[in-house]
Amino acid sequence: MATWLALAIGAQFITAITVLIDRHILVRSEHIGKPIVYAFYVSLLSGFVIVLAPFGLIAAPTIGVVGFSLAQAFGFLAAIYCLYAALKAARASDVAPVVGAVSAIVSLVLAGIWIEGDISGTLVPPVLLLAAGTALISHFHFRKHSLLFALAAGALFGLTVFLSKLVYLQTAFLDGFFWTRTMCIVAALVLLVIPAWRSAILHGGRKSSGGTKALVIGNKLLAGVAGVMTALAISLGSVSVVNALAGLQFVFLFIFAFLFAEYMPVGEAKKTGSHGGWQSALGVSLIVLGLGLLYAVHAPI
């Protein structure tokens, strides 16, 4: 199996764990608060992994690297806002699959148009299977505004990973990773310029308990590990495939729900994975089939 493919799969396993923790935070009465507040802290914390970078080895960025990095940072910030706005109004097991499927299709289309050689004819079927399987896991129990937020989040996440790939095509991985994450911090700090957002962010941070803050920070550091693995996979391989593999996190969530159901609150295991039934089973089957096709294509590598 290709190294970048293994990295992408491992990243989705870690992401599934962070999703469980995110759900724990969101369903409790004492959480970070408004979507803009959560978007601020997620974007800010995603940037702090740059402290691990060997600063003496980071090259000065070109205008293209700065531009694409800044665009992906603001795209990521907007995507996070839309995602948590959707999660405030609909179930996570409905929202997340739709976001993942839309993101996969958007990145596939953008990469197919703008990045030569990113996606070959043999990779299109497994990517489409992964996207279709991801979408089927959702039962689409949405109100109009929550569906719009979910669709917007998916499109923005797809645009974000596409822009990240453009950065890695212009510079070395370490440099690209450093500048994309640095711009995430810049994008988060820009939110403080708007008085209403600044007040919400500062108030939300003070209102949350120390335990909640520690849980959010710890979870985002864990998500940062998955982020590094995903970024490396994107830089080495196909951004379309890496993004489509996001559906694997739902397979892992089903496994977690099955293995650890007795340790979860009543009803939580069902919410953690999906609603069950033939539609979810078909979705998982398509994801597994798509992964099998990817392995068949890359087995000789």
Side-chain angles (χ1 to χ4, degrees):
M1 181 182 294
T3 300
W4 63 268
L5 197 55
L7 284 168
I9 293 171
Q12 291 308 316
F13 178 80
I14 296 175
T15 299
I17 296 174
T18 66
V19 167
L20 289 177
I21 300 174
D22 270 340
R23 175 165 180 79
H24 172 80
I25 295 170
L26 286 167
V27 299
R28 295 298 183 268
S29 59
E30 184 190 19
H31 53 69
I32 290 299
K34 298 180 180 179
I36 194 66
V37 179
Y38 208 85
F40 171 82
Y41 284 109
V42 169
S43 188
L44 188 67
L45 290 171
S46 71
F48 277 123
V49 296
I50 64 174
V51 300
L52 302 177
F55 290 95
L57 300 180
I58 301 299
T62 63
I63 294 177
V65 168
V66 172
F68 286 132
S69 296
L70 196 58
Q72 70 83 32
F74 278 103
F76 178 73
L77 183 65
I80 291 295
Y81 174 85
C82 291
L83 172 62
Y84 285 98
L87 288 173
K88 293 280 283 186
R91 296 176 62 160
S93 52
D94 282 319
V95 172
V98 170
V99 171
V102 172
S103 177
I105 295 300
V106 169
S107 63
L108 173 65
V109 172
L110 291 176
I113 295 173
W114 297 103
I115 303 178
E116 184 177 357
D118 180 79
I119 188 76
S120 64
T122 58
L123 290 177
V124 171
V127 168
L128 293 179
L129 283 172
L130 288 165
T134 302
L136 281 173
I137 291 175
S138 173
H139 279 205
F140 301 97
H141 294 160
F142 293 101
R143 294 180 180 178
K144 182 178 180 180
H145 71 284
S146 60
L147 177 59
L148 291 176
F149 274 124
L151 293 174
L156 287 166
F157 276 124
L159 175 63
T160 297
V161 296
F162 166 72
L163 291 171
S164 297
K165 180 65 175 183
L166 293 183
V167 172
Y168 295 127
L169 287 174
Q170 297 192 29
T171 189
F173 169 73
L174 190 59
D175 294 334
F177 186 78
F178 177 84
W179 291 114
T180 53
R181 293 308 186 269
T182 298
M183 293 307 169
C184 282
I185 296 177
V186 172
L189 294 178
V190 167
L191 293 180
L192 297 177
V193 174
I194 309 298
W197 291 352
R198 181 172 64 248
S199 176
I201 290 167
L202 297 177
H203 177 71
R206 289 196 303 266
K207 185 177 180 180
S208 301
S209 68
T212 300
K213 292 175 183 176
L215 185 60
V216 171
I217 292 173
N219 193 41
K220 294 313 162 188
L221 290 176
L222 184 61
V225 174
V228 172
M229 296 170 66
T230 301
L232 185 55
I234 289 173
S235 71
L236 294 174
S238 167
V239 63
S240 304
V241 174
V242 171
N243 204 30
L245 283 170
L248 275 179
Q249 68 179 263
F250 303 109
V251 177
F252 291 131
L253 286 170
F254 271 104
I255 295 172
F256 293 159
F258 176 76
L259 294 177
F260 305 112
E262 61 180 301
Y263 301 105
M264 297 180 181
V266 176
E268 190 69 10
K270 185 177 180 181
K271 295 176 183 178
T272 296
S274 184
H275 308 290
W278 68 268
Q279 184 175 323
S280 298
L282 178 58
V284 171
S285 299
L286 291 180
I287 291 172
V288 173
L289 179 58
L291 181 62
L293 288 178
L294 283 177
Y295 178 79
V297 171
H298 289 282
I301 295 177

